[in-house]
Amino acid sequence: MSLLSPTKPESNPALGPALGAASASAGASEGPIATPASPTPRLLAALREDLAVVVARDPSVRGRKEAILHPALTALWAHRVAHRLHGRGRRIPARLLARWARRVTAVEIHPGAVLGRRVFIDHGAGVVIGETAVVGDDVTMYHQVTLGAVGWWSDNKRPEGDRRHPVVGSGVILGANATVLGPVTVGDRAVIGAQALVNKDVPGGARVLAPTAVIKEPGRQPELMEDVFTVIASAGSW
């Protein structure tokens, strides 16, 4: 299975050195694994794969005709076209297409982002993928996933062409509301759990899980109300 789809020369030349450096550092001392992949297939072949993946991974979809109505599929297809326009220097049409897709699907993918083959976005609402993000093959992400930058106050100081967004390896699963920020690398087949915040490299095959809710039995327990106040209290509560 191929890993990360490379940035094509016409897509964003500045990303090449950055991704190469990320891959080189990932290979040292058992760090994350994220190496370049074979070229993305031609547009129509990629669109067919996207459609087949929706049928294969969404149990609520009964066939290809129904899969066409999947909202995230519209976002992916629009991005496949917008990315090619962006790579050919037609940035305004690419941005307009991305804006339309965001309005229709609530999925925001910058035209410069590189998405591999058979990427599946379940539900799709609230997904954000930044300009220099690279997503590998066979990645699954759920709603409200963010592949973002750390903020303009830091990114504006980076040298021209430096990567600002994550590289996500192949076979990675990103749970609902998972947030991955900055030029980090998530290794192949890692799982980022729901609500998890990631701002450091993640080794291949690792599991990154956010704390789960604490369940307390019902009853009149004096400490229970104290716990509730601790959880909900904020500076504006008093």
Side-chain angles (χ1 to χ4, degrees):
M1 179 185 299
S2 57
L3 303 178
L4 289 182
S5 296
T7 304
K8 300 171 73 174
E10 71 274 21
S11 299
N12 196 336
L15 287 185
L19 295 181
S23 298
S25 61
S29 64
E30 299 184 356
I33 302 172
T35 53
S38 57
T40 302
R42 300 179 72 86
L43 180 59
L44 288 179
L47 300 185
R48 291 192 196 99
E49 284 188 338
D50 293 335
L51 181 62
V53 164
V54 172
V55 178
R57 299 189 198 173
D58 191 335
S60 70
V61 172
R62 298 296 186 266
R64 288 175 176 262
K65 291 182 179 179
E66 189 175 346
I68 291 175
L69 300 176
H70 195 282
L73 181 66
T74 303
L76 273 174
W77 280 358
H79 174 73
R80 302 288 189 199
V81 177
H83 181 67
R84 284 161 171 79
L85 291 172
H86 182 85
R88 289 167 172 77
R90 303 184 65 183
R91 295 174 60 91
I92 298 302
R95 293 296 289 264
L96 287 172
L97 182 55
R99 186 181 179 92
W100 171 84
R102 180 183 186 274
R103 182 178 181 86
V104 171
T105 68
V107 176
E108 182 174 331
I109 309 175
H110 192 284
V114 179
L115 268 60
R117 302 171 63 178
R118 300 175 299 275
V119 172
F120 176 57
I121 304 176
D122 199 357
H123 299 293
V127 169
V128 176
I129 302 176
E131 178 186 14
T132 64
V134 179
V135 177
D137 300 334
D138 301 296
V139 168
T140 298
M141 61 182 75
Y142 292 85
H143 51 286
Q144 296 181 324
V145 164
T146 299
L147 303 180
V150 294
W152 61 265
W153 51 88
S154 176
D155 293 331
N156 284 352
K157 299 175 183 178
R158 300 184 191 277
E160 182 71 23
D162 266 19
R163 185 164 58 87
R164 309 187 310 278
H165 300 94
V167 166
V168 177
S170 292
V172 171
I173 298 174
L174 298 152
N177 204 29
T179 301
V180 186
L181 300 180
V184 301
T185 301
V186 178
D188 304 328
R189 298 173 300 281
V191 175
I192 310 300
Q195 303 281 350
L197 171 62
V198 176
N199 60 4
K200 297 179 178 63
D201 289 349
V202 176
R207 303 292 185 267
V208 181
L209 306 176
T212 56
V214 176
I215 300 176
K216 295 197 174 185
E217 296 296 328
R220 298 179 62 86
Q221 302 176 18
E223 69 276 7
L224 181 59
M225 289 306 298
E226 295 178 6
D227 290 344
V228 171
F229 284 129
T230 300
V231 172
I232 66 174
S234 67
S237 298
W238 313 101

mmCIF file of all heavy atoms in Angstrom, residues 163-188:
data_model
loop_
_atom_site.group_PDB
_atom_site.id
_atom_site.type_symbol
_atom_site.label_atom_id
_atom_site.label_comp_id
_atom_site.label_asym_id
_atom_site.label_seq_id
_atom_site.Cartn_x
_atom_site.Cartn_y
_atom_site.Cartn_z
ATOM 1 N N ARG A 163 6.283 24.401 5.877
ATOM 2 C CA ARG A 163 5.000 23.756 6.142
ATOM 3 C C ARG A 163 4.397 24.279 7.440
ATOM 4 O O ARG A 163 5.092 24.455 8.443
ATOM 5 C CB ARG A 163 5.209 22.243 6.207
ATOM 6 C CG ARG A 163 3.951 21.428 6.368
ATOM 7 C CD ARG A 163 4.198 19.967 6.038
ATOM 8 N NE ARG A 163 5.234 19.379 6.862
ATOM 9 C CZ ARG A 163 5.017 18.838 8.058
ATOM 10 N NH1 ARG A 163 3.803 18.826 8.556
ATOM 11 N NH2 ARG A 163 6.003 18.314 8.736
ATOM 12 N N ARG A 164 3.106 24.527 7.429
ATOM 13 C CA ARG A 164 2.399 25.040 8.608
ATOM 14 C C ARG A 164 1.390 24.040 9.164
ATOM 15 O O ARG A 164 0.884 24.228 10.269
ATOM 16 C CB ARG A 164 1.641 26.336 8.261
ATOM 17 C CG ARG A 164 2.474 27.393 7.577
ATOM 18 C CD ARG A 164 1.734 28.704 7.417
ATOM 19 N NE ARG A 164 0.410 28.555 6.839
ATOM 20 C CZ ARG A 164 0.167 28.447 5.538
ATOM 21 N NH1 ARG A 164 1.171 28.452 4.675
ATOM 22 N NH2 ARG A 164 -1.076 28.349 5.096
ATOM 23 N N HIS A 165 1.078 23.009 8.374
ATOM 24 C CA HIS A 165 0.009 22.082 8.727
ATOM 25 C C HIS A 165 0.535 20.655 8.818
ATOM 26 O O HIS A 165 1.653 20.370 8.399
ATOM 27 C CB HIS A 165 -1.111 22.180 7.686
ATOM 28 C CG HIS A 165 -1.717 23.539 7.578
ATOM 29 N ND1 HIS A 165 -1.277 24.465 6.642
ATOM 30 C CD2 HIS A 165 -2.699 24.143 8.277
ATOM 31 C CE1 HIS A 165 -1.974 25.583 6.776
ATOM 32 N NE2 HIS A 165 -2.843 25.418 7.755
ATOM 33 N N PRO A 166 -0.268 19.740 9.331
ATOM 34 C CA PRO A 166 0.216 18.369 9.571
ATOM 35 C C PRO A 166 0.405 17.539 8.304
ATOM 36 O O PRO A 166 -0.213 17.782 7.270
ATOM 37 C CB PRO A 166 -0.901 17.750 10.435
ATOM 38 C CG PRO A 166 -1.686 18.896 10.959
ATOM 39 C CD PRO A 166 -1.598 19.954 9.922
ATOM 40 N N VAL A 167 1.272 16.538 8.432
ATOM 41 C CA VAL A 167 1.361 15.424 7.482
ATOM 42 C C VAL A 167 0.730 14.221 8.175
ATOM 43 O O VAL A 167 1.140 13.852 9.282
ATOM 44 C CB VAL A 167 2.823 15.120 7.099
ATOM 45 C CG1 VAL A 167 2.914 13.763 6.406
ATOM 46 C CG2 VAL A 167 3.386 16.199 6.197
ATOM 47 N N VAL A 168 -0.265 13.643 7.555
ATOM 48 C CA VAL A 168 -0.986 12.501 8.125
ATOM 49 C C VAL A 168 -0.677 11.277 7.266
ATOM 50 O O VAL A 168 -0.936 11.270 6.065
ATOM 51 C CB VAL A 168 -2.506 12.770 8.162
ATOM 52 C CG1 VAL A 168 -3.255 11.543 8.679
ATOM 53 C CG2 VAL A 168 -2.807 13.989 9.034
ATOM 54 N N GLY A 169 -0.124 10.249 7.871
ATOM 55 C CA GLY A 169 0.271 9.055 7.142
ATOM 56 C C GLY A 169 -0.907 8.226 6.680
ATOM 57 O O GLY A 169 -2.070 8.528 6.956
ATOM 58 N N SER A 170 -0.612 7.153 5.974
ATOM 59 C CA SER A 170 -1.647 6.294 5.413
ATOM 60 C C SER A 170 -2.298 5.436 6.487
ATOM 61 O O SER A 170 -1.664 5.043 7.471
ATOM 62 C CB SER A 170 -1.035 5.383 4.346
ATOM 63 O OG SER A 170 -0.633 6.149 3.236
ATOM 64 N N GLY A 171 -3.589 5.142 6.283
ATOM 65 C CA GLY A 171 -4.319 4.276 7.196
ATOM 66 C C GLY A 171 -4.634 4.895 8.532
ATOM 67 O O GLY A 171 -5.057 4.192 9.457
ATOM 68 N N VAL A 172 -4.456 6.193 8.677
ATOM 69 C CA VAL A 172 -4.722 6.875 9.948
ATOM 70 C C VAL A 172 -6.235 7.060 10.126
ATOM 71 O O VAL A 172 -6.965 7.288 9.160
ATOM 72 C CB VAL A 172 -4.005 8.234 9.997
ATOM 73 C CG1 VAL A 172 -4.450 9.059 11.200
ATOM 74 C CG2 VAL A 172 -2.496 8.027 10.023
ATOM 75 N N ILE A 173 -6.698 6.969 11.371
ATOM 76 C CA ILE A 173 -8.088 7.256 11.721
ATOM 77 C C ILE A 173 -8.100 8.464 12.645
ATOM 78 O O ILE A 173 -7.384 8.497 13.652
ATOM 79 C CB ILE A 173 -8.758 6.057 12.406
ATOM 80 C CG1 ILE A 173 -8.793 4.857 11.456
ATOM 81 C CG2 ILE A 173 -10.172 6.413 12.867
ATOM 82 C CD1 ILE A 173 -9.317 3.589 12.094
ATOM 83 N N LEU A 174 -8.917 9.453 12.300
ATOM 84 C CA LEU A 174 -9.051 10.670 13.089
ATOM 85 C C LEU A 174 -10.486 10.745 13.602
ATOM 86 O O LEU A 174 -11.432 10.908 12.823
ATOM 87 C CB LEU A 174 -8.721 11.902 12.243
ATOM 88 C CG LEU A 174 -7.285 11.961 11.709
ATOM 89 C CD1 LEU A 174 -7.207 12.753 10.422
ATOM 90 C CD2 LEU A 174 -6.357 12.567 12.748
ATOM 91 N N GLY A 175 -10.658 10.617 14.914
ATOM 92 C CA GLY A 175 -11.992 10.585 15.502
ATOM 93 C C GLY A 175 -12.666 11.940 15.511
ATOM 94 O O GLY A 175 -12.058 12.977 15.219
ATOM 95 N N ALA A 176 -13.940 11.946 15.876
ATOM 96 C CA ALA A 176 -14.733 13.165 15.879
ATOM 97 C C ALA A 176 -14.095 14.240 16.755
ATOM 98 O O ALA A 176 -13.692 13.983 17.884
ATOM 99 C CB ALA A 176 -16.151 12.861 16.378
ATOM 100 N N ASN A 177 -13.977 15.434 16.187
ATOM 101 C CA ASN A 177 -13.436 16.604 16.888
ATOM 102 C C ASN A 177 -11.960 16.455 17.252
ATOM 103 O O ASN A 177 -11.455 17.161 18.111
ATOM 104 C CB ASN A 177 -14.243 16.920 18.147
ATOM 105 C CG ASN A 177 -14.122 18.385 18.552
ATOM 106 O OD1 ASN A 177 -13.923 19.261 17.703
ATOM 107 N ND2 ASN A 177 -14.235 18.661 19.828
ATOM 108 N N ALA A 178 -11.254 15.550 16.590
ATOM 109 C CA ALA A 178 -9.804 15.480 16.775
ATOM 110 C C ALA A 178 -9.164 16.704 16.126
ATOM 111 O O ALA A 178 -9.573 17.130 15.045
ATOM 112 C CB ALA A 178 -9.249 14.205 16.149
ATOM 113 N N THR A 179 -8.160 17.253 16.786
ATOM 114 C CA THR A 179 -7.502 18.464 16.310
ATOM 115 C C THR A 179 -5.999 18.218 16.249
ATOM 116 O O THR A 179 -5.379 17.888 17.262
ATOM 117 C CB THR A 179 -7.797 19.650 17.250
ATOM 118 O OG1 THR A 179 -9.209 19.855 17.308
ATOM 119 C CG2 THR A 179 -7.129 20.918 16.746
ATOM 120 N N VAL A 180 -5.432 18.374 15.063
ATOM 121 C CA VAL A 180 -3.986 18.207 14.868
ATOM 122 C C VAL A 180 -3.454 19.532 14.345
ATOM 123 O O VAL A 180 -3.882 19.995 13.282
ATOM 124 C CB VAL A 180 -3.675 17.068 13.882
ATOM 125 C CG1 VAL A 180 -2.173 16.815 13.825
ATOM 126 C CG2 VAL A 180 -4.413 15.792 14.263
ATOM 127 N N LEU A 181 -2.530 20.146 15.093
ATOM 128 C CA LEU A 181 -2.090 21.498 14.789
ATOM 129 C C LEU A 181 -0.594 21.564 14.541
ATOM 130 O O LEU A 181 0.199 20.922 15.242
ATOM 131 C CB LEU A 181 -2.435 22.443 15.945
ATOM 132 C CG LEU A 181 -3.919 22.579 16.312
ATOM 133 C CD1 LEU A 181 -4.085 23.538 17.477
ATOM 134 C CD2 LEU A 181 -4.737 23.034 15.120
ATOM 135 N N GLY A 182 -0.223 22.362 13.557
ATOM 136 C CA GLY A 182 1.173 22.655 13.294
ATOM 137 C C GLY A 182 1.824 21.662 12.347
ATOM 138 O O GLY A 182 1.210 20.685 11.908
ATOM 139 N N PRO A 183 3.109 21.865 12.042
ATOM 140 C CA PRO A 183 3.829 21.012 11.090
ATOM 141 C C PRO A 183 4.293 19.707 11.719
ATOM 142 O O PRO A 183 5.479 19.367 11.707
ATOM 143 C CB PRO A 183 4.998 21.895 10.668
ATOM 144 C CG PRO A 183 5.284 22.747 11.861
ATOM 145 C CD PRO A 183 3.935 23.018 12.489
ATOM 146 N N VAL A 184 3.351 18.974 12.288
ATOM 147 C CA VAL A 184 3.662 17.698 12.926
ATOM 148 C C VAL A 184 3.428 16.565 11.935
ATOM 149 O O VAL A 184 2.816 16.755 10.884
ATOM 150 C CB VAL A 184 2.818 17.482 14.191
ATOM 151 C CG1 VAL A 184 3.074 18.600 15.197
ATOM 152 C CG2 VAL A 184 1.332 17.412 13.852
ATOM 153 N N THR A 185 3.915 15.390 12.284
ATOM 154 C CA THR A 185 3.744 14.211 11.444
ATOM 155 C C THR A 185 3.025 13.128 12.240
ATOM 156 O O THR A 185 3.449 12.778 13.337
ATOM 157 C CB THR A 185 5.106 13.678 10.965
ATOM 158 O OG1 THR A 185 5.783 14.692 10.221
ATOM 159 C CG2 THR A 185 4.924 12.454 10.079
ATOM 160 N N VAL A 186 1.940 12.622 11.688
ATOM 161 C CA VAL A 186 1.204 11.511 12.289
ATOM 162 C C VAL A 186 1.554 10.264 11.484
ATOM 163 O O VAL A 186 1.284 10.187 10.283
ATOM 164 C CB VAL A 186 -0.313 11.760 12.263
ATOM 165 C CG1 VAL A 186 -1.063 10.570 12.857
ATOM 166 C CG2 VAL A 186 -0.659 13.037 13.028
ATOM 167 N N GLY A 187 2.178 9.309 12.131
ATOM 168 C CA GLY A 187 2.664 8.127 11.434
ATOM 169 C C GLY A 187 1.552 7.236 10.919
ATOM 170 O O GLY A 187 0.390 7.327 11.338
ATOM 171 N N ASP A 188 1.920 6.355 9.996
ATOM 172 C CA ASP A 188 0.964 5.450 9.364
ATOM 173 C C ASP A 188 0.226 4.602 10.395
ATOM 174 O O ASP A 188 0.799 4.151 11.384
ATOM 175 C CB ASP A 188 1.678 4.519 8.387
ATOM 176 C CG ASP A 188 2.461 5.285 7.327
ATOM 177 O OD1 ASP A 188 2.015 6.384 6.945
ATOM 178 O OD2 ASP A 188 3.517 4.782 6.899
#
